[in-house]
Amino acid sequence: MTDTTTPLIRIIVGSVRPVRVGDQIAAAVAEIIADAADARTEIIDLADLNLPLLDEPRMPALGDYQNAHTKEWADIVSGSDGIVFVTPQYNAGYPASLKNAIDYLFAEWKDKPALIISYGGHGGGMSGAQLRSVLDFIGLDLVGDNVEITLPRDSYGPDWRLVDAQAVVAPYTEELRTAARALDRSLVPQS
Ligand SMILES: Cc1cc2nc3c(=O)[nH]c(=O)nc-3n(C[C@H](O)[C@H](O)[C@H](O)COP(=O)(O)O)c2cc1C
């Protein structure tokens, strides 16, 4: 039986490449966040959601969604007590897949407690900063500092997947716990 009294934090995997590491980073941070925030976590993989490039005929700010995939995505966001964005850095920014998913919705983001985790060769700081400015603009309640996870070259195997994602994330455990506790303090239960 699902425990609906425990807050639900959804962790969004922002990258959708066929060979990527974002899903591994999300899985590795999920347990740390659940434990520190005393919450349930669920990973939402944008690759599985498979949203087309924004195809709503009307402006999302009007909330008059026409497409089933938009309504499904809106329900996922509105049904979350908090959101964690896990984003890589692509050319000094965050991926188009994540921007597209964000742009689909509007009211659902308002005041939603959220945390940003970036990763890249040097922690993906530029991606996280760019994402923060967009999420601030649309009114999310961004808590804590961004967590920036550096992926050393030798953390990748020959298949370009992380050899040991938990070992990559381990040095950031305390930072993640602090950020997750800040998220926990801001969570607003969704009925
Ligand atoms: C299009 C593209 C651009 C990238 N640009 C950067 C960059 O600006 N800085 C950086 O540190 N790494 C960069 N990288 C390396 C990524 O951080 C690394 O490939 C990471 O694994 C990407 O996340 P993903 O595997 O979940 O897609 C880039 C990778 C791609 C695919």
Side-chain angles (χ1 to χ4, degrees), residues 157-169:
D159 58 356
W160 290 99
R161 297 274 288 165
L162 294 176
V163 175
D164 184 348
Q166 282 182 334
V168 166
V169 164

Side-chain angles (χ1 to χ4, degrees), residues 15 17 20-22 88-92 119-122 156:
S15 64
R17 297 190 303 140
R20 61 187 170 147
V21 303
Q89 179 160 313
Y90 289 171
N91 297 318
Y119 59 91
H122 306 279
Y156 292 87

